Amino acid sequence: MPNLSKPGDIISADICKRSIGGLGFLVRERRRKPVVIVSDIIEGGAAHDTGLLEVGDVVLKVNSVDLTNVSYQEALYALRAVKPGETATLLLRVRDGFTSRLETTFNHQGQARTVRITESSVPVVNSEGKSSKLTNGGPNLDNRIVRSTPNGQNTRRRESVKKIESKTNSLSELTCGVCLSSNNPTIPQPPRVSAPNDRRQDVSQTVTKVVNDEPKSGSSKMAETKNIPNGHSITNGGNAKWNDLNGNAIAKDDVVDATIVARRPTEKTPLVNGIEKPKSAESHTPTSVKPIHKSSSTESNHQPSYHTLRNWETGTRTNDTLYTKCMKAQSVATGCTRNKCLGSVMNPDHMSIDPRKNVRSKEEKLEMAVDFIKQYYGSMKRKNPEMEKKRLAEVVESIEKTGSYQLTEYELIFGAKTAWRNAPRCIGRIQWNKLQVFDYRHVDNTAQMFDAICNHLKYATNKGNIRSCITFFPQRTDYKKDFRVWSSQYIRYAGYGQPDGSIIGDPANVEFTEVCIKLGWKPKFGRFDILPLVLQANGEDPDIYEIPPDLALEVKLRHPRFKWFEELGYKWCAVPAVSNVLLDIGGLEFPAAPFNGWFMGTEIARDLCDVARYNVLQDVAEKMNLDTRNTSSLWKDIALVEFNVAVLHSYQSDRVTIMDHHSATQSFMKHYANELKLRGGCPGDWVWLTPPISGSITPIFHQEVLNYILHPSCKYQPDPWKYHVWKGKVNKVKKAIRFKELAKSVLIMSSMMGKAMANRVKATILYASETGKSLEYAKTLCDIFNHAFAAKVVCMDDYDIVHLEHETLLLVVTSTFGNGDPPENGVNLGQTLVELSKPEESQDNLGTDKTRFTSIHNVTPSVRRRSSVAMEPIDLPDIGEATGLLANLRFAVFGLGSRAYPHFCAFAHAIDTLLGELSGDRLLEIGEGDELCGQEESFRNWAKKVFQIACETFCVGEDVSVEAASASLAGQDRSWSPNKFRIAVDPEDVEEPALLEGLSNFHKKKVSGCKLKKRTNLQSGEQDRGTILVEFDSSSSSEIKYLPGDHIGIYPCNQTEIVDRILERLHDKVDEKALIQLQIFEQRTTPLGVISNWLPDKRLPACTLRTAFERYFDITTCPTPQLLKIFADCAADDKEKARLLELSEGKSEYEEWKFHFLPNLAEVLAEFPSVRVEASLLLSQLSPLQCRYYSISSSTDVYPNEVHCTVAIVSYNTQGGSGTKRHGVCSSYLNRMELGSDICCFIRPATSFHLPKNSSAPCLLIGPGTGIAPFRSFWQQRMYDIKQGKQVGEVALLFGCRHPDRDHLYKDEIQEAKNCGAITEYHTAFSRLPGQPKQYVQHVLKEQLADLAYDWLLKNSGHVYICGDVTMADDVNNALMEVLEKKANISKKEAREHVTKMKEQGLYHEDIFGVTLRTYEVNKSVRQRHVTSKKK
Ligand SMILES: Cc1cc2nc3c(=O)[nH]c(=O)nc-3n(C[C@H](O)[C@H](O)[C@H](O)COP(=O)(O)OP(=O)(O)OC[C@H]3O[C@@H](n4cnc5c(N)ncnc54)[C@H](O)[C@@H]3O)c2cc1C
Ligand SMILES: NC(=O)c1ccc[n+]([C@@H]2O[C@H](COP(=O)([O-])OP(=O)(O)OC[C@H]3O[C@@H](n4cnc5c(N)ncnc54)[C@H](OP(=O)(O)O)[C@@H]3O)[C@@H](O)[C@H]2O)c1
Ligand SMILES: Cc1cc2nc3c(=O)[nH]c(=O)nc-3n(C[C@H](O)[C@H](O)[C@H](O)COP(=O)(O)O)c2cc1C
């Protein structure tokens, strides 16, 4: 008895036993019952000729003898009992793991062909990642054995058989066409393909017969037809009913002579990526496929939630689940019915919106809007349910109140791309994600529309390297106020009807040509006259505009072999830009949204060769000397192929993007597979997708595709001249605006509209900065880009990552901190990019403290640059897939850093790499600015270049000189001009905020207050050096909470002496103690006219002038080149002016001057006494005074309400020690401030530098000099924990200083900690013991702590903590690797890998202060290296 719980296909086959060869197959014994299995099929024998038997089939029955429960001997006897000449009816079961079915078609003479198709029920994934089924006996084509015809002739052919839906498949409602193709959907052409129709007729007679189950005990029960999810009709066996195309039952004898059992519905395997997955005990439940309820009472109430589609070339079966989406409210019936296919109708009703008839109700709009917004947020890789909710509420409210709403720019971009992705007729959809959207929803007249279209054409043409783009004009409010492009495509050739009925030019455009002529266009009566654009704004009568000749790129057609071809004078345009299609997005209608892709060669060939078009085929054939007298010479086919050759050859020779139909269909198949994976299906209109020539030799021909409508979508709409109500221009001849006149008017228009028109493409400039430099650069970049783009600066931390995939142009400016880490405000974005690009890795990292960005750029492949810049040699058309998350993004990155750090600009490199990995298109190689040398110059060069490339890429800024735009680089600052800022003294109703509040506003950070409680000098001896322990009382600020290892940020106060010198130099003698407010002059255009006002500057709070210079602005860092340029403008003395100008170029002169003299603001003003400097200039231009960080040196458990810091007092002389004395701003402030005074501060958690969660893990602490600071908090904490009875692990401390008697910090405290077990081992390195060689911590590590390090760090998962100077940290890192290498006897590489692993696992901790040790020497040597390498 067969196991009924398993899927098994049953086949009934009639075989006539021959006298020689018998039934024509051999059998062997099976271990289980039924016992007989087919082991061989004799070539040319009876079984072979039926094509119905396969090796592995289990024989269940011979005539009336049931073999399912008999012995092998009995079974053989039954088989032998069949006499030669008699027909044996065999019931066979397909071998385990396979399913079979028969498919029968009839040719036009009524002959049946039946195919047995056997496939594994387990899909296998082939090398391309496509799922396919194992088929019996290898490549599945061999299994397409065509079966005997009714008249007994057996044929065996490899031929595809197209299966179509039976009546009972309720999907039939969806089976026909809705879509817009790139194939000239705009003109009434005859149906594009006739072949499919022929094929359709053939397949329309397809019959599929299946029965439901294995027979029980040999009795084949038959039952009525049922629906099952995979679309087969099935019966229970017995008197099977057969379904023809129309679902009519027909007599068995008429059509087939075999029966096949399909898998039962409940045994359908679940779907993964639209491809059947093997059934597993866990995953399979009968309910995994939920039937969708269908109301029709006449049909089954089961509707499939997926539909199986077969590829008849490869045998692959895929399941489309996406179509179920269109069954929701957003769907529109396709117009096809079970008896009527609209596949070949050009503009079927259901694909059109006629504004006169289809007015969308508020409810419908609401439903579509909600659906769209959900789609939009659902599409994001990063979910943001809060934002989605908020946005939905906004949209609903707007529709409720006003009947409509506006899409955000990001939603518009998503909508446009998705509409393209959803267009079933378009073959080039693999590019859907790479669509440039131009948003011109703000225009209000035709001149502005024309300007937008010129921009579109220019961008799209790109000197032949065509780019897909779409331009949006205002959405429909009332169709009588529509914006429309009357031309069906931007570039159309005129058609002139002649009195004799003939047509000169393109017959498709005769009607439109007449419209143009009526509007005043002058006909030229040529064959290829480009028609003007006819544009309508706001429902007004349209205006006509000549397309500037240099924007209408055309290709003259020639043939690679036929010289005469060129003389025929054919040509065609380069850009197919469809302009009469309506975009239907989120319930909103955009009747003017012209878009373009690029041509497929066959389209152009059809435009010229179709009978209803230029109809040139006969001319070509005659030139080729073909016999055109009768069609069987195939002259039409031959000439058409050669015409196609000519088209492809001409476009390729002119380097204009074009696709041949083979590549196009191949890329579509790739897209189809992608879409199945990504969204479980891909709507497609087979009739349109199959190319008009050579259909069956392209892969799409053999692919079943499902046609359905999803929203957003593209819709046809009636020609506007058919219903436009003329306001006055009708029949009044109006001269077409020619380009020269127009250029003038557009220019005027553009300048009137100011930036709104000029800034067409959005540019987002992201920055991350610790000390403010990157922000400055980002702002400068923004100034430059605002000359041609709509640029804005956003801090990485304020950026909502959900927008990233809809950005067009992204510029990133960021520094690197720590030891290759991001600035604090860049951490989240960096982490998110890692997660997006390597979801698995970031998952692995979740347990660790932070992502190591240093490793990201090291392992990534070299720079990828898909150039789309026209100035460079044009790449081969970039027509590959565009499925990466950021496929539409152009980006460029500039990194700020210092070569004194081992990981120079590491974070910028990581961002650059990650954006590239996410498929972003790099406009320019990463720029690097080294603060030690040439940072300004590197930036200015990079900024200019990237602006130029961006302008070229987006075809904007033609009228903008790069030099002029880059003026911001040279200091013609965006914000400074004498009349732009002023100081208001004692302004009315203005009060000075408390300093904490002022600083909080200024730095956009919560700043708290503490009091200096105690200060202790930790050094003895050297007069000139000092390290202090400062203790702050934090009791008044409850928000000051920290853990050992965290940092405190302190806002210092500038030295009084420097402030005094600056105040003295100010030209406008404002009382330094008076309350002042910086004000900015603003002009706004309002409906009432231009309004000018002095408004308070948002940045600087009201304060006294002294407070501003003491607390808010950085006056000690060397002034920037930009500021020097402003000083140059204010200098009265020519020599000073010249010198300032020289320095302001930011080149080597500036670098030298800065390096040697490190002049502060007061010194610069003293060096250039003729500079008339006003307070408003400085207050508007200076950079903020940044906080300084200190590692907290106390435990809050031991010192509640206190924060302690160990501070090295920074003081040095410029010029390598021989110049002026300098004092570090913050350290000297902390050293001089009175006890009891307030400090302004905040806590910065350093999560990656906390004590281990597992307190018994061994810890090795290494910190020379002030690097000991955080370790004091560690040992205090451990002492406290020990007192509390907590079990703690071993701790070894390694400290380094110059001399044990002079700068041995916390000597006594360390001893105390050692005594109580908080420190278990203590080691020192003294560098300046007289007569002794220098000993640094890394030396001691190698010499004295090698065993410990090996034991703790390699064997016991111990932690290492390194704190202080960056060079020291790197030296220690190297020393540690050396120790591991030697002690563990491993290779250098393995040692490095171990350390990297420790970092990734959060066992290796660094707290880097920057370059603090031997600052001058380090900087000097790095600088020298740089200068030398530059010279080389
Ligand atoms: C995370 C972190 C934790 C820190 N923890 C501590 C800590 O616990 N204890 C501590 O003392 N410091 C610590 N620092 C350093 C601290 O933040 C300050 O940088 C330091 O106190 C100097 O600040 P300042 O305002 O006194 O000097 P600034 O006015 O900022 O001057 C310092 C600058 O002067 C220049 N300079 C210094 N020496 C020379 C020289 N010989 N020749 C030429 N130029 C020179 C360098 O450009 C240097 O950057 C930490 C830094 C960071 C980033
Ligand atoms: N002006 C002052 O009163 C004063 C006081 C303290 C600190 N500071 C400033 O603050 C900085 C940091 O001070 P600090 O107390 O933390 O450190 P520090 O006292 O300058 O140095 C601590 C120890 O580290 C050693 N060292 C130098 N380079 C090293 C390297 N690459 N690897 C390992 N060890 C190295 C030093 O040796 P060598 O110095 O012998 O090379 C010294 O033994 C100083 O460089 C100085 O600029 C100023
Ligand atoms: C504590 C500290 C750590 C730093 N670490 C690095 C580093 O690892 N790599 C690097 O290239 N630059 C490093 N720098 C240099 C800064 O990136 C550089 O000063 C930059 O110009 C700062 O720009 P910002 O003001 O935008 O933050 C570090 C600077 C400091 C103060």
Side-chain angles (χ1 to χ4, degrees), residues 1047 1158 1188-1191 1206-1208 1210 1212 1224-1228 1244 1266 1269 1407-1409 1415-1416:
H1047 301 136
L1158 288 160
R1188 272 41 171 189
Y1189 288 108
Y1190 295 92
S1191 304
T1206 309
V1207 179
V1210 173
Y1212 59 93
V1225 178
C1226 193
S1227 56
S1228 66
R1244 177 168 79 162
T1266 39
D1407 184 11
I1408 306 292
F1409 295 179
T1415 312
Y1416 182 75

mmCIF file of all heavy atoms in Angstrom, residues 1047 1158 1188-1191 1206-1208 1210 1212 1224-1228 1244 1266 1269 1407-1409 1415-1416, ligand 1:
data_model
loop_
_atom_site.group_PDB
_atom_site.id
_atom_site.type_symbol
_atom_site.label_atom_id
_atom_site.label_comp_id
_atom_site.label_asym_id
_atom_site.label_seq_id
_atom_site.Cartn_x
_atom_site.Cartn_y
_atom_site.Cartn_z
ATOM 1 N N HIS A 1047 34.504 60.175 30.683
ATOM 2 C CA HIS A 1047 35.212 61.457 30.539
ATOM 3 C C HIS A 1047 34.357 62.598 31.058
ATOM 4 O O HIS A 1047 33.135 62.513 31.043
ATOM 5 C CB HIS A 1047 35.510 61.742 29.057
ATOM 6 C CG HIS A 1047 36.346 60.699 28.412
ATOM 7 N ND1 HIS A 1047 36.070 60.195 27.162
ATOM 8 C CD2 HIS A 1047 37.463 60.048 28.832
ATOM 9 C CE1 HIS A 1047 36.970 59.293 26.832
ATOM 10 N NE2 HIS A 1047 37.822 59.175 27.839
ATOM 11 N N LEU A 1158 52.585 79.534 15.372
ATOM 12 C CA LEU A 1158 51.324 79.207 16.043
ATOM 13 C C LEU A 1158 50.639 80.469 16.572
ATOM 14 O O LEU A 1158 50.320 80.566 17.763
ATOM 15 C CB LEU A 1158 51.598 78.245 17.205
ATOM 16 C CG LEU A 1158 51.974 76.836 16.794
ATOM 17 C CD1 LEU A 1158 52.689 76.130 17.926
ATOM 18 C CD2 LEU A 1158 50.744 76.052 16.397
ATOM 19 N N ARG A 1188 37.355 70.672 26.448
ATOM 20 C CA ARG A 1188 38.473 69.722 26.540
ATOM 21 C C ARG A 1188 37.984 68.536 27.367
ATOM 22 O O ARG A 1188 37.238 68.730 28.338
ATOM 23 C CB ARG A 1188 39.659 70.357 27.277
ATOM 24 C CG ARG A 1188 40.679 71.143 26.475
ATOM 25 C CD ARG A 1188 40.172 72.015 25.420
ATOM 26 N NE ARG A 1188 41.209 72.875 24.850
ATOM 27 C CZ ARG A 1188 40.961 73.861 24.022
ATOM 28 N NH1 ARG A 1188 39.719 74.117 23.630
ATOM 29 N NH2 ARG A 1188 41.934 74.604 23.539
ATOM 30 N N TYR A 1189 38.450 67.371 26.959
ATOM 31 C CA TYR A 1189 38.032 66.170 27.687
ATOM 32 C C TYR A 1189 39.102 65.737 28.680
ATOM 33 O O TYR A 1189 40.300 65.860 28.400
ATOM 34 C CB TYR A 1189 37.790 65.012 26.709
ATOM 35 C CG TYR A 1189 36.542 65.225 25.898
ATOM 36 C CD1 TYR A 1189 36.605 65.541 24.543
ATOM 37 C CD2 TYR A 1189 35.290 65.105 26.490
ATOM 38 C CE1 TYR A 1189 35.458 65.748 23.800
ATOM 39 C CE2 TYR A 1189 34.130 65.315 25.747
ATOM 40 C CZ TYR A 1189 34.223 65.632 24.408
ATOM 41 O OH TYR A 1189 33.087 65.848 23.685
ATOM 42 N N TYR A 1190 38.650 65.220 29.800
ATOM 43 C CA TYR A 1190 39.570 64.639 30.784
ATOM 44 C C TYR A 1190 39.009 63.316 31.267
ATOM 45 O O TYR A 1190 37.784 63.189 31.467
ATOM 46 C CB TYR A 1190 39.782 65.613 31.967
ATOM 47 C CG TYR A 1190 40.485 66.871 31.486
ATOM 48 C CD1 TYR A 1190 39.755 67.989 31.073
ATOM 49 C CD2 TYR A 1190 41.878 66.904 31.383
ATOM 50 C CE1 TYR A 1190 40.383 69.121 30.576
ATOM 51 C CE2 TYR A 1190 42.518 68.043 30.879
ATOM 52 C CZ TYR A 1190 41.763 69.139 30.463
ATOM 53 O OH TYR A 1190 42.404 70.243 29.955
ATOM 54 N N SER A 1191 39.905 62.347 31.400
ATOM 55 C CA SER A 1191 39.469 61.035 31.901
ATOM 56 C C SER A 1191 39.244 61.173 33.402
ATOM 57 O O SER A 1191 40.129 61.667 34.118
ATOM 58 C CB SER A 1191 40.552 59.986 31.662
ATOM 59 O OG SER A 1191 40.853 59.971 30.295
ATOM 60 N N THR A 1206 42.975 64.334 36.563
ATOM 61 C CA THR A 1206 44.428 64.453 36.616
ATOM 62 C C THR A 1206 44.843 65.228 35.370
ATOM 63 O O THR A 1206 44.652 64.729 34.249
ATOM 64 C CB THR A 1206 45.078 63.047 36.596
ATOM 65 O OG1 THR A 1206 44.444 62.262 37.597
ATOM 66 C CG2 THR A 1206 46.566 63.109 36.812
ATOM 67 N N VAL A 1207 45.339 66.425 35.580
ATOM 68 C CA VAL A 1207 45.554 67.295 34.421
ATOM 69 C C VAL A 1207 47.021 67.699 34.287
ATOM 70 O O VAL A 1207 47.612 68.229 35.234
ATOM 71 C CB VAL A 1207 44.680 68.577 34.542
ATOM 72 C CG1 VAL A 1207 44.904 69.525 33.370
ATOM 73 C CG2 VAL A 1207 43.213 68.217 34.679
ATOM 74 N N ALA A 1208 47.572 67.437 33.113
ATOM 75 C CA ALA A 1208 48.930 67.914 32.818
ATOM 76 C C ALA A 1208 48.816 69.354 32.334
ATOM 77 O O ALA A 1208 48.022 69.645 31.439
ATOM 78 C CB ALA A 1208 49.563 67.052 31.744
ATOM 79 N N VAL A 1210 49.668 72.234 30.255
ATOM 80 C CA VAL A 1210 50.343 72.362 28.963
ATOM 81 C C VAL A 1210 50.959 73.747 28.852
ATOM 82 O O VAL A 1210 50.268 74.762 28.983
ATOM 83 C CB VAL A 1210 49.350 72.116 27.803
ATOM 84 C CG1 VAL A 1210 50.012 72.415 26.455
ATOM 85 C CG2 VAL A 1210 48.810 70.702 27.841
ATOM 86 N N TYR A 1212 54.379 75.520 26.542
ATOM 87 C CA TYR A 1212 55.521 75.276 25.655
ATOM 88 C C TYR A 1212 55.912 76.572 24.955
ATOM 89 O O TYR A 1212 55.168 77.570 25.008
ATOM 90 C CB TYR A 1212 55.165 74.205 24.609
ATOM 91 C CG TYR A 1212 53.981 74.596 23.760
ATOM 92 C CD1 TYR A 1212 54.157 75.242 22.536
ATOM 93 C CD2 TYR A 1212 52.679 74.352 24.182
ATOM 94 C CE1 TYR A 1212 53.066 75.615 21.767
ATOM 95 C CE2 TYR A 1212 51.591 74.727 23.431
ATOM 96 C CZ TYR A 1212 51.782 75.362 22.218
ATOM 97 O OH TYR A 1212 50.712 75.756 21.459
ATOM 98 N N GLY A 1224 48.403 76.165 27.535
ATOM 99 C CA GLY A 1224 47.196 75.461 27.120
ATOM 100 C C GLY A 1224 45.974 76.129 27.721
ATOM 101 O O GLY A 1224 45.984 76.498 28.891
ATOM 102 N N VAL A 1225 44.924 76.297 26.932
ATOM 103 C CA VAL A 1225 43.772 77.075 27.378
ATOM 104 C C VAL A 1225 43.143 76.450 28.628
ATOM 105 O O VAL A 1225 42.965 77.111 29.661
ATOM 106 C CB VAL A 1225 42.704 77.159 26.256
ATOM 107 C CG1 VAL A 1225 41.470 77.914 26.727
ATOM 108 C CG2 VAL A 1225 43.280 77.817 25.022
ATOM 109 N N CYS A 1226 42.805 75.193 28.540
ATOM 110 C CA CYS A 1226 42.011 74.600 29.607
ATOM 111 C C CYS A 1226 42.863 74.210 30.810
ATOM 112 O O CYS A 1226 42.483 74.457 31.954
ATOM 113 C CB CYS A 1226 41.250 73.392 29.071
ATOM 114 S SG CYS A 1226 39.981 72.834 30.187
ATOM 115 N N SER A 1227 44.016 73.589 30.504
ATOM 116 C CA SER A 1227 44.830 73.139 31.637
ATOM 117 C C SER A 1227 45.310 74.346 32.444
ATOM 118 O O SER A 1227 45.333 74.303 33.679
ATOM 119 C CB SER A 1227 45.991 72.287 31.135
ATOM 120 O OG SER A 1227 46.760 72.982 30.180
ATOM 121 N N SER A 1228 45.664 75.431 31.772
ATOM 122 C CA SER A 1228 46.128 76.596 32.523
ATOM 123 C C SER A 1228 44.951 77.262 33.251
ATOM 124 O O SER A 1228 45.108 77.787 34.349
ATOM 125 C CB SER A 1228 46.867 77.582 31.622
ATOM 126 O OG SER A 1228 45.980 78.128 30.689
ATOM 127 N N ARG A 1244 30.809 62.619 29.465
ATOM 128 C CA ARG A 1244 30.722 61.831 28.226
ATOM 129 C C ARG A 1244 31.024 60.371 28.570
ATOM 130 O O ARG A 1244 32.160 60.036 28.922
ATOM 131 C CB ARG A 1244 31.737 62.326 27.204
ATOM 132 C CG ARG A 1244 31.698 61.472 25.930
ATOM 133 C CD ARG A 1244 32.466 62.082 24.802
ATOM 134 N NE ARG A 1244 33.901 61.879 24.907
ATOM 135 C CZ ARG A 1244 34.729 62.014 23.876
ATOM 136 N NH1 ARG A 1244 34.271 62.362 22.680
ATOM 137 N NH2 ARG A 1244 36.024 61.831 24.036
ATOM 138 N N THR A 1266 50.022 61.301 32.432
ATOM 139 C CA THR A 1266 48.618 61.501 32.796
ATOM 140 C C THR A 1266 47.733 60.361 32.289
ATOM 141 O O THR A 1266 46.552 60.313 32.620
ATOM 142 C CB THR A 1266 48.090 62.836 32.215
ATOM 143 O OG1 THR A 1266 48.634 62.986 30.913
ATOM 144 C CG2 THR A 1266 48.464 64.003 33.076
ATOM 145 N N ALA A 1269 45.376 58.610 34.617
ATOM 146 C CA ALA A 1269 44.149 59.258 35.124
ATOM 147 C C ALA A 1269 42.963 58.301 35.313
ATOM 148 O O ALA A 1269 42.431 58.208 36.425
ATOM 149 C CB ALA A 1269 43.773 60.423 34.219
ATOM 150 N N ASP A 1407 42.076 54.542 25.497
ATOM 151 C CA ASP A 1407 41.551 55.876 25.823
ATOM 152 C C ASP A 1407 42.627 56.852 25.358
ATOM 153 O O ASP A 1407 43.663 57.014 26.015
ATOM 154 C CB ASP A 1407 41.334 55.968 27.345
ATOM 155 C CG ASP A 1407 40.697 57.275 27.748
ATOM 156 O OD1 ASP A 1407 40.226 58.017 26.868
ATOM 157 O OD2 ASP A 1407 40.671 57.567 28.968
ATOM 158 N N ILE A 1408 42.399 57.416 24.182
ATOM 159 C CA ILE A 1408 43.477 58.186 23.539
ATOM 160 C C ILE A 1408 43.263 59.692 23.740
ATOM 161 O O ILE A 1408 42.209 60.232 23.422
ATOM 162 C CB ILE A 1408 43.527 57.872 22.026
ATOM 163 C CG1 ILE A 1408 43.646 56.364 21.791
ATOM 164 C CG2 ILE A 1408 44.646 58.631 21.333
ATOM 165 C CD1 ILE A 1408 44.944 55.740 22.225
ATOM 166 N N PHE A 1409 44.315 60.334 24.271
ATOM 167 C CA PHE A 1409 44.238 61.787 24.500
ATOM 168 C C PHE A 1409 44.600 62.582 23.252
ATOM 169 O O PHE A 1409 44.366 63.771 23.182
ATOM 170 C CB PHE A 1409 45.227 62.206 25.603
ATOM 171 C CG PHE A 1409 44.932 61.652 26.978
ATOM 172 C CD1 PHE A 1409 45.783 61.948 28.041
ATOM 173 C CD2 PHE A 1409 43.809 60.871 27.221
ATOM 174 C CE1 PHE A 1409 45.530 61.464 29.321
ATOM 175 C CE2 PHE A 1409 43.552 60.378 28.502
ATOM 176 C CZ PHE A 1409 44.420 60.669 29.547
ATOM 177 N N THR A 1415 55.078 66.442 21.571
ATOM 178 C CA THR A 1415 54.217 67.006 20.513
ATOM 179 C C THR A 1415 55.013 67.622 19.363
ATOM 180 O O THR A 1415 54.762 67.326 18.191
ATOM 181 C CB THR A 1415 53.304 68.108 21.120
ATOM 182 O OG1 THR A 1415 52.726 67.587 22.294
ATOM 183 C CG2 THR A 1415 52.253 68.549 20.153
ATOM 184 N N TYR A 1416 55.966 68.445 19.744
ATOM 185 C CA TYR A 1416 56.686 69.163 18.694
ATOM 186 C C TYR A 1416 57.454 68.198 17.790
ATOM 187 O O TYR A 1416 57.364 68.273 16.565
ATOM 188 C CB TYR A 1416 57.637 70.197 19.333
ATOM 189 C CG TYR A 1416 58.384 71.005 18.300
ATOM 190 C CD1 TYR A 1416 57.732 72.014 17.588
ATOM 191 C CD2 TYR A 1416 59.725 70.749 18.022
ATOM 192 C CE1 TYR A 1416 58.409 72.757 16.621
ATOM 193 C CE2 TYR A 1416 60.406 71.478 17.054
ATOM 194 C CZ TYR A 1416 59.736 72.481 16.361
ATOM 195 O OH TYR A 1416 60.394 73.209 15.395
HETATM 196 C C1 LIG B 1 39.408 61.509 25.479
HETATM 197 C C2 LIG B 1 40.458 62.422 26.081
HETATM 198 C C3 LIG B 1 40.823 62.306 27.409
HETATM 199 C C4 LIG B 1 41.780 63.135 27.935
HETATM 200 N N1 LIG B 1 42.144 63.012 29.253
HETATM 201 C C5 LIG B 1 43.108 63.810 29.773
HETATM 202 C C6 LIG B 1 43.502 63.699 31.127
HETATM 203 O O1 LIG B 1 42.991 62.881 31.866
HETATM 204 N N2 LIG B 1 44.447 64.504 31.561
HETATM 205 C C7 LIG B 1 45.056 65.443 30.779
HETATM 206 O O2 LIG B 1 45.903 66.172 31.238
HETATM 207 N N3 LIG B 1 44.702 65.574 29.513
HETATM 208 C C8 LIG B 1 43.732 64.800 28.977
HETATM 209 N N4 LIG B 1 43.344 64.965 27.677
HETATM 210 C C9 LIG B 1 43.908 66.100 26.904
HETATM 211 C C10 LIG B 1 43.066 67.339 27.184
HETATM 212 O O3 LIG B 1 41.808 67.176 26.655
HETATM 213 C C11 LIG B 1 43.641 68.584 26.584
HETATM 214 O O4 LIG B 1 43.935 68.334 25.264
HETATM 215 C C12 LIG B 1 44.864 69.054 27.263
HETATM 216 O O5 LIG B 1 44.569 69.346 28.596
HETATM 217 C C13 LIG B 1 45.338 70.326 26.583
HETATM 218 O O6 LIG B 1 44.330 71.277 26.588
HETATM 219 P P1 LIG B 1 44.627 72.811 26.795
HETATM 220 O O7 LIG B 1 43.401 73.575 26.549
HETATM 221 O O8 LIG B 1 45.306 73.028 28.080
HETATM 222 O O9 LIG B 1 45.674 73.083 25.672
HETATM 223 P P2 LIG B 1 45.406 73.722 24.255
HETATM 224 O O10 LIG B 1 45.216 75.159 24.352
HETATM 225 O O11 LIG B 1 44.337 72.942 23.618
HETATM 226 O O12 LIG B 1 46.745 73.412 23.568
HETATM 227 C C14 LIG B 1 47.132 72.128 23.270
HETATM 228 C C15 LIG B 1 47.684 72.143 21.903
HETATM 229 O O13 LIG B 1 48.902 72.861 21.929
HETATM 230 C C16 LIG B 1 49.764 72.339 20.976
HETATM 231 N N5 LIG B 1 51.050 71.993 21.638
HETATM 232 C C17 LIG B 1 51.241 71.381 22.822
HETATM 233 N N6 LIG B 1 52.544 71.229 23.055
HETATM 234 C C18 LIG B 1 53.184 71.777 22.023
HETATM 235 C C19 LIG B 1 54.544 71.942 21.687
HETATM 236 N N7 LIG B 1 55.505 71.517 22.468
HETATM 237 N N8 LIG B 1 54.826 72.548 20.527
HETATM 238 C C20 LIG B 1 53.865 72.985 19.722
HETATM 239 N N9 LIG B 1 52.571 72.857 19.982
HETATM 240 C C21 LIG B 1 52.252 72.257 21.114
HETATM 241 C C22 LIG B 1 49.160 71.116 20.401
HETATM 242 O O14 LIG B 1 48.620 71.448 19.170
HETATM 243 C C23 LIG B 1 48.041 70.793 21.366
HETATM 244 O O15 LIG B 1 46.971 70.186 20.741
HETATM 245 C C24 LIG B 1 42.395 64.113 27.139
HETATM 246 C C25 LIG B 1 42.018 64.240 25.803
HETATM 247 C C26 LIG B 1 41.056 63.395 25.278
HETATM 248 C C27 LIG B 1 40.677 63.528 23.838
#
